[in-house]
Amino acid sequence: MSVPASGREDQPLSVVLAGSGIAAAEAALALHELAGERVTITLLAPARKLRVRAMAVAEPFGLGHCDAVPLPEIARAAGAELIADSFKWLDAPERTVHTAGGLELPYDALLLALGARARPAFSHAITLDDRRVDEQIGLLLSDIESGAVRSLAFLVPSPLPWPLPLYELALLTAAWAREHGHQLKLQLVTPEPAPLAVFGGAASRAVAELLERARIETIPSALCGVPSSGIVSVHPGPQTLRVDAVVALPQLFGPPAPGVPSGAHNGFIATDPFGRVRGLQGVYAAGDATDFAVKHGSIAAQQAETAARSIASRAGAPVQPVRFDPRLTAVLFGGERPLVLRARFGGVRGVHSEVEELADGERAAKLATHYLSDYLEARLNAVAGS
């Protein structure tokens, strides 16, 4: 089965978006806003819902919930055709996407928002999985309640994934244990030079103070292994931790994407500052599938908007392509009040770091995007008013 791309200059640019996460949704909404009828959008999505995973760790502690938005709703809002299928391989010379279901989708422009693959970094550890983190944390808290777990090690593997959820889990677990009268020994081991160093000095120092107040020992600039259950080897050192349980983040790898050049760094897709895939014409990428080191929803959305502006400009819309200028905003639960951490990368000063403690009653927006956040807010207001 084949879907024709536009064949003449006076027809809309045919755009295929492959993915079902934040980057794909942001790109669809951005293209609809920026290019309008100058583009036709096909959203090739393996999932039926967009799951906003930023609250995954905080949800079991009653601090919020993970939103799950039906993708058909987002597709309608973006004027896109939704195809419930997944990317299989790319025939770049023919400008055609082949799907797992046997479709052939020609395109004028293609945006790959395929996400990353997660694998356990350690055999003898609880590897956080945001699809079942509620169950995982529930079991862990039950073991603490019963006394089976009195010491915990939280491990950040190398290469570095997005580390904030592990810090959040350590802080929330410490607070929960205090509230329930349990004595816990907690240690966090990370290859970072300082806690959440990606956010820069000011934010990192604020997080370090939180960890110290929570009596969580932090071991930075360290690589670790888990040779057997309850044993953590820390290097350099050598140092050995003996604990009742080990919780770790997964390692991340680039997605399987035959026909798409992958970089040398764990198979992620290399892009230029305008979101274009290096070595291919008319192909863009955004989100966790790319080789940008920081894997976070706000960054994915910024990459998607960068690519969408490039595509919209190519379609003749009155917008100019802009270079990707990453600005990271995230919310950390676990202290007395949530912390908003901000970082802007680049320039002669390196990372510009900001930290802000939210006031009582002030809402913590875990996901900071342009188009998708506006859509989710409008959707929430519509549901509340119905």
Side-chain angles (χ1 to χ4, degrees), residues 12-13 15-17 19 21-44 50 69-83 111 308 371-372 374-376 379:
L13 197 76
V15 183
V16 174
L17 308 179
I22 288 170
E26 181 79 359
L29 294 166
L31 272 173
H32 180 65
E33 178 73 20
L34 296 171
E37 294 182 355
R38 293 179 176 88
V39 296
T40 61
I41 304 170
T42 300
L43 180 57
L44 177 65
L50 167 67
V69 185
L71 276 172
E73 291 185 13
I74 295 176
R76 283 195 297 271
E81 178 190 3
L82 178 65
I83 297 179
L111 174 59
Y371 298 94
L372 181 58
D374 287 349
Y375 168 80
L376 293 175
R379 182 179 184 272

Side-chain angles (χ1 to χ4, degrees), residues 115-139:
R117 290 178 296 168
R119 297 177 185 168
F122 311 104
S123 298
H124 304 284
I126 301 166
T127 301
L128 288 182
D129 180 347
D130 57 33
R131 296 167 299 181
R132 50 187 294 264
V133 70
D134 190 66
E135 172 194 350
Q136 291 178 311
I137 294 176
L139 290 172

Side-chain angles (χ1 to χ4, degrees), residues 47 68 124 144 195 258 278 286 292 304 318 329 349 364 368 372:
H124 304 284
I144 295 171
R278 298 185 185 276
F292 189 70
T329 300
R349 296 183 180 179
L372 181 58

Side-chain angles (χ1 to χ4, degrees), residues 234-250:
V234 181
H235 305 279
Q239 181 180 2
T240 299
L241 309 180
R242 300 180 184 278
V243 294
D244 295 324
V246 177
V247 180
L249 292 173

